[in-house]
Amino acid sequence: MRTRTRKKPVDRQRAERMIARGALFVVGALAIGALGGWTKRVRAAEDKTALDPRRVARQFGSLGDQVLAAQGETALAKVQLERANAVIDYSAKYQIPADLAADVYDVALSEGIDPSLGYRLVKIESDFQRNARSPMGALGYTQLQLTTARFYDHSLTEQKLLEREVNLRIGFRFLKDLTKQFDGDTHLALLAYNRGPGRVAQILERGGDPKNGYSDAVLKGYEPPRTVAETQGGWR
């Protein structure tokens, strides 16, 4: 049994403080700049002549645009903070480096998979080991057979399939496709991921039960998103 050394997860509180301060700085600077610029223009106008209503309207319009921009920066900062918090949590939970936690999170979202499910899949398949190889020749984080992966990219080699993003992306895409094939049934999709979709479909056609404990292991402690808003597009 190999002994592996994990990198220490990032300091959660320190990361949160840095991101929060950066967000407040951006929003504050934009708001102060917008208000300051408008005030200067108004004062300059007052020093010369009575305010032109059309000029005032333009100035208010410009100020409104800048405020909206500041609000957009606030929303972006909030999303970035939520992502950072999630990555920190998963890094600590699974005792994996922050960059790996971030890649699993980002690739899962981009492929329409709940990140929590993505982490569980990688944990069960490879225990987050990049060079994991099964006796059947399944490779990498998501333990893909090269023949299966080549359905998505005909040019793949074993070395390419071991690359982190490639392996995660194809593995999550395969699981997403299986979820669609089995009408949103996550248990069946996972069983098909483990046993092969043809084998699972054959067992179901005969009235059998394809369960072998795999889907239960992946879903142990997993809580699916409760609303469409939480799912970034409604995975099941």
Side-chain angles (χ1 to χ4, degrees):
M1 183 175 184
R2 294 177 296 180
T3 301
R4 29 192 191 106
T5 302
R6 298 186 186 276
K7 297 181 181 178
K8 185 178 181 181
V10 295
D11 186 317
R12 175 190 178 88
Q13 293 183 346
R14 183 180 179 186
E16 287 180 346
R17 287 196 298 269
M18 291 175 64
I19 296 171
R21 288 173 182 171
L24 289 173
F25 176 80
V26 169
V27 175
L30 287 169
I32 291 171
L35 291 171
W38 180 77
T39 301
K40 289 179 180 179
R41 289 195 297 270
V42 171
R43 287 176 179 173
E46 288 176 341
D47 291 340
K48 294 180 181 179
T49 59
L51 292 177
D52 183 339
R54 289 173 297 181
R55 178 179 296 176
V56 173
R58 286 196 300 270
Q59 289 169 341
F60 269 109
S62 176
L63 177 60
D65 291 341
Q66 293 179 60
V67 170
L68 287 175
Q71 291 174 341
E73 293 288 346
T74 304
L76 177 60
K78 182 179 178 181
V79 170
Q80 291 173 336
L81 181 58
E82 290 174 349
R83 173 187 177 275
N85 284 334
V87 168
I88 291 168
D89 286 341
Y90 287 120
S91 176
K93 179 177 181 179
Y94 292 104
Q95 290 293 294
I96 58 177
D99 62 331
L100 174 56
D103 282 345
V104 174
Y105 185 90
D106 292 339
V107 175
L109 277 182
S110 70
E111 293 299 329
I113 294 293
D114 178 7
S116 295
L117 181 58
Y119 286 102
R120 290 298 304 159
L121 178 73
V122 177
K123 171 65 178 176
I124 296 299
E125 286 291 344
S126 66
D127 198 23
F128 297 96
Q129 294 302 295
R130 175 184 181 274
N131 294 316
R133 184 186 295 263
S134 78
M136 300 299 293
L139 303 171
Y141 293 110
T142 59
Q143 289 291 280
L144 288 167
Q145 297 277 353
L146 184 59
T147 52
T148 300
R150 281 178 172 166
F151 277 106
Y152 296 91
D153 184 345
H154 297 297
S155 67
L156 278 179
T157 62
E158 284 195 4
Q159 190 62 35
K160 187 70 174 177
L161 186 55
L162 287 171
E163 292 182 9
R164 179 189 295 179
E165 185 175 349
V166 172
N167 194 278
L168 291 172
R169 188 168 301 284
I170 295 179
F172 292 160
R173 188 169 298 176
F174 182 40
L175 179 58
K176 180 68 174 181
D177 288 346
L178 291 172
T179 303
K180 292 178 181 177
Q181 180 178 337
F182 289 94
D183 300 321
D185 190 315
T186 304
H187 274 281
L188 288 179
L190 288 168
L191 290 169
Y193 190 99
N194 176 251
R195 306 189 68 177
R199 175 62 176 157
V200 171
Q202 184 181 57
I203 293 172
L204 291 173
E205 287 174 2
R206 293 176 178 175
D209 186 349
K211 287 186 178 179
N212 61 358
Y214 176 80
S215 61
D216 291 331
V218 174
L219 296 174
K220 184 178 180 179
Y222 169 69
E223 294 184 4
R226 292 169 294 178
T227 67
V228 173
E230 290 176 87
T231 64
Q232 300 285 327
W235 56 67
R236 298 178 61 182

